[in-house]
Amino acid sequence: LVPADITSLNSGTSDGNTSYNAISGSLTGMGFAYYDSDPKLVMNTDFGTMKIVKKTAKDFQIQYTVKKGQVWSDGTPIDAVDLLLSHVVAADEYSKDAGLGDPSDANTKPAFDSVSYAGPYGLNVVGLPKLSADKMSLTVKFKKPLPDWELLAPGPSPVHTLSLIADGKTKLQPLAANLAAKAKFLKAFTSKNTAQLKKMGEVWTKGYDVTKVDESTNPLLLVSNGGFIVSKFTAGDSMTLVRNPKYSSGPAMAKKNPVKTVVLKIIKDNTASVQALRNGDIDIYFNTLPTGNDRVILEALPNVNVVTKTGGNYSHLDLRTDAAFGETDTYSGVFAGNGKKAQDLRRAFLLATPRQQLVDTVIKPVNKDAVPANTWLDFPGSTSYKAITEGSGANAIYNEGTQADRTAKALALVKKYYPTASADAPAVPIKFVHASTSVRNALAALIKAETKKAGFDVTTFPQADLFGSRSNVVATYDVAMYGFGLGSLSQSNGASIYKSDGGNNVFGWNNSKMDEIMKSLESDILTPKQITALRTAADKIFIDNSWGLPLYFNPTMSAWNKDLKGIDPAPLGNNITWNFWKWSY
């Protein structure tokens, strides 16, 4: 079950960067590590190994070695050359030096429109990675020792296919042609051949966007080193993946009655997805925002396992302040800029958002222990959560008094600029976008009703395909509500949201001090006390600017046919598909 459209086979681009696009990628690609259900980062030695080979104050080197004998699904050997595309799409200096564009330039997109720029890899890498003589190892040099260095591992890509598509090939090629194409990629990479790299950048950025996969699809787009290969896709309906007979880049597939075909069924309506499991139309249901009614129905089904957890997904409100980084849009709504009026109105809207009511009405029927979340950078119940939320001011501002008290404060702020505003005469126009699921619709209705008491005239814009295009969460709207899913447990959690040039900051938030804090969290080895201090400072900037508000951590619900073995829901990343190799009937 996928609750939203799949739009691309490449989730690393600005337009393709959604958790829904990443689902198929988790089945078709394997790299150096993955998170299990604990969650614990597991080293995937079936693919390769990584180790620190030098560690001084100004010279930190990691060697990545690909295990010999692996091949792509088209039979082409996998080696360390296949790791080099990760450098192209994450190293800002390489993009500039190769004439592919400056990723920090908000006005021009680079040739490889990647969300990985300006991260800890790109900020700290030095020069070009070095290939070993046998091309099975890659050594990457960084300017200093880095935290979470295991998470910096380059992912493999079939670079020969990228080179072939850029040269106009539309069919699978013989081995000799594939090896020549890989050599051509390596030469272009090493020499920084701008023309050739730009051709490949066009393919990487747009070529994997799909509305269908059938016999007319270029099979070079589908080459895989994962357990499965995409064989068929119809937008809005389903994607079919079949076993990759050449798979050896991860743990061995189940021997007895293994799953040979996976169908990702796209069902956007919550009620319909529960019904589909009950009817046997799907075997696995996974939802990061189920309803209490879903839980009752699913737990009553006789041949279904049901597991409810608090996962790594959390819901939030985002208020627009300016144009999104890297976009040409403009924003001139009531929340624009950082003037006193805009800040007061943003604060008023957030004060009037009835977070406890949202939790009580929609979330507690699924998870009775749910509480409103007060930071995006830590989990309720952690050792540092209380320190961060008290130090940032979130507790004092958004949990003090009753909701009626907070809404009254909100109306007082609104009346400074709209003196006649009232619950009966809301005067501040707000465009509010969210997914058109039953849960999101219910949440939006509660927010609209309460903020009206503070003088806001909210028009909601429910979207069946909220993430089909970034246009749904950029300048058209004043407020967006959706969820983020944590892909890792790292010191730099949240950096892509808070940084002015972060891949998930599409609301124009910009603060130089925040950028400094995020850079430190991404790049400095810190003590737990230092991490808490920086996260507190970051959250204080966020709260002081009233950019948005976390709502709650989503309860996740998994349910599956008891005849299907090996399902082990995980809180992070590829929640269901992380251990596809264990699946069997």
Side-chain angles (χ1 to χ4, degrees):
L1 165 69
V2 180
D5 272 332
I6 297 170
T7 60
S8 180
L9 301 175
N10 182 2
S11 61
T13 67
S14 289
D15 284 340
N17 184 225
T18 74
S19 58
Y20 311 114
N21 289 336
I23 294 173
S24 62
S26 70
L27 295 167
T28 59
M30 292 295 291
F32 285 99
Y34 58 86
Y35 277 102
D36 67 11
S37 59
D38 284 340
K40 179 181 69 177
L41 189 66
V42 178
M43 296 297 112
N44 178 22
T45 55
D46 291 293
F47 177 77
T49 57
M50 61 178 106
K51 64 180 179 180
I52 297 171
V53 293
K54 189 170 185 180
K55 185 177 182 181
T56 67
K58 295 184 179 181
D59 190 351
F60 182 56
Q61 297 185 32
I62 307 172
Q63 184 182 72
Y64 305 96
T65 301
V66 176
K67 186 177 180 180
K68 291 183 179 179
Q70 300 172 75
V71 295
W72 294 100
S73 57
D74 65 356
T76 306
I78 300 173
D79 58 25
V81 176
D82 293 309
L83 305 178
L84 292 174
L85 185 61
S86 284
H87 185 80
V88 177
V89 301
D92 299 53
E93 288 304 316
Y94 182 88
S95 185
K96 289 187 286 186
D97 292 347
L100 304 176
D102 181 356
S104 67
D105 182 353
N107 298 314
T108 306
K109 291 182 181 294
F112 289 82
D113 186 16
S114 169
V115 296
S116 297
Y117 292 122
Y121 183 98
L123 293 171
N124 294 282
V125 70
V126 177
L128 292 180
K130 293 182 179 179
L131 280 168
S132 61
D134 65 356
K135 293 187 173 62
M136 297 306 294
S137 292
L138 194 69
T139 302
V140 183
K141 179 179 178 179
F142 298 96
K143 64 179 69 170
K144 62 179 180 179
L146 296 171
D148 306 313
W149 63 270
E150 297 95 337
L151 299 178
L152 300 179
S157 298
V159 295
H160 65 286
T161 64
L162 189 64
S163 180
L164 289 166
I165 298 170
D167 285 342
K169 302 299 183 184
T170 58
K171 296 180 179 179
L172 296 179
Q173 301 294 304
L175 179 59
N178 292 342
L179 294 176
K182 182 178 286 197
K184 186 173 182 179
F185 169 86
L186 177 58
K187 184 177 181 181
F189 171 84
T190 306
S191 65
K192 299 176 182 174
N193 183 322
T194 303
Q196 187 66 18
L197 289 168
K198 279 189 172 181
K199 286 168 60 179
M200 288 189 277
E202 178 68 21
V203 174
W204 188 86
T205 300
K206 295 295 183 184
Y208 292 86
D209 295 347
V210 291
T211 56
K212 67 175 183 176
V213 172
D214 56 22
E215 62 278 357
S216 68
T217 302
N218 187 341
L220 292 168
L221 294 168
L222 310 177
V223 171
S224 158
N225 82 319
F228 296 88
I229 305 168
V230 176
S231 67
K232 188 165 52 175
F233 172 61
T234 301
D237 179 47
S238 65
M239 175 178 284
T240 301
L241 301 96
V242 297
R243 277 281 295 271
N244 172 10
K246 295 183 170 64
Y247 163 73
S248 64
S249 291
M253 292 286 208
K255 299 297 184 186
K256 184 179 179 181
N257 299 326
V259 170
K260 296 180 179 179
T261 303
V262 174
V263 179
L264 301 176
K265 187 68 178 175
I266 299 166
I267 306 176
K268 300 175 185 178
D269 179 74
N270 217 41
T271 302
S273 62
V274 172
Q275 185 69 35
L277 182 68
R278 180 163 59 183
N279 294 346
D281 297 328
I282 60 174
D283 292 293
I284 306 174
Y285 165 98
F286 179 78
N287 198 330
T288 60
L289 203 55
T291 67
N293 191 50
D294 295 338
R295 182 175 186 171
V296 170
I297 295 173
L298 291 170
E299 289 181 343
L301 298 180
N303 195 43
V304 170
N305 292 313
V306 182
V307 174
T308 302
K309 296 180 177 179
T310 296
N313 298 80
Y314 54 97
S315 293
H316 49 92
L317 285 184
D318 299 330
L319 274 55
R320 172 157 299 285
T321 65
D322 204 344
F325 182 85
E327 299 288 342
T328 57
D329 61 351
T330 57
Y331 174 66
S332 58
V334 295
F335 296 147
N338 279 313
K340 180 64 172 170
K341 178 180 178 181
Q343 289 205 2
D344 280 347
L345 291 176
R346 294 200 297 264
R347 173 63 58 85
F349 190 86
L350 298 177
L351 280 169
T353 296
R355 295 191 308 148
Q356 189 63 56
Q357 185 185 16
L358 304 184
V359 170
D360 291 346
T361 305
V362 180
I363 309 306
K364 280 195 173 183
V366 182
N367 177 9
K368 62 182 177 58
D369 298 322
V371 295
N374 295 314
T375 175
W376 302 18
L377 293 172
D378 212 338
F379 292 89
S382 74
T383 55
S384 54
Y385 181 84
K386 184 177 180 181
I388 292 173
T389 56
E390 290 185 353
S392 70
N395 272 340
I397 297 170
Y398 295 112
N399 296 322
E400 189 177 77
T402 65
Q403 184 56 54
D405 295 334
R406 292 188 289 276
T407 301
K409 290 180 182 178
L411 180 58
L413 285 171
V414 168
K415 288 176 79 70
K416 287 170 59 177
Y417 309 99
Y418 297 86
T420 62
S422 70
D424 297 322
V428 188
I430 298 294
K431 294 180 178 180
F432 182 6
V433 66
H434 58 86
S436 58
T437 64
S438 57
V439 174
R440 293 291 184 204
N441 289 340
L443 294 169
L446 293 172
I447 293 170
K448 178 175 180 176
E450 189 65 26
T451 56
K452 182 181 179 182
K453 299 175 186 177
F456 290 97
D457 184 12
V458 175
T459 302
T460 57
F461 292 86
Q463 301 287 315
D465 187 16
L466 182 62
F467 297 103
S469 166
R470 279 164 65 101
S471 64
N472 278 339
V473 288
V474 294
T476 308
Y477 304 102
D478 304 290
V479 181
M481 175 175 58
Y482 56 105
F484 277 130
L486 295 178
S488 67
L489 293 176
S490 68
Q491 184 176 290
S492 59
N493 277 346
S496 67
I497 304 168
Y498 284 96
K499 288 194 306 183
S500 57
D501 58 354
N504 285 315
N505 176 359
V506 295
F507 297 95
W509 307 330
N510 193 320
N511 182 281
S512 59
K513 182 61 178 176
M514 179 73 84
D515 289 346
E516 289 176 19
I517 293 170
M518 291 297 121
K519 183 177 180 180
S520 180
L521 286 169
E522 288 181 315
S523 304
D524 296 335
I525 295 178
L526 305 166
T527 65
K529 186 176 181 179
Q530 290 171 321
I531 294 169
T532 297
L534 285 175
R535 288 180 174 174
T536 302
D539 247 18
K540 189 173 190 318
I541 292 170
F542 197 85
I543 296 296
D544 287 348
N545 283 278
S546 300
W547 286 341
L549 199 59
L551 300 176
Y552 49 80
F553 279 85
N554 296 17
T556 61
M557 183 173 290
S558 310
W560 62 94
N561 180 345
K562 286 182 179 178
D563 294 333
L564 183 59
K565 310 303 181 185
I567 304 300
D568 186 13
L572 299 180
N574 306 315
N575 311 87
I576 292 293
T577 57
W578 74 268
N579 69 336
F580 61 78
W581 52 85
K582 290 187 177 181
W583 297 355
S584 67
Y585 275 101

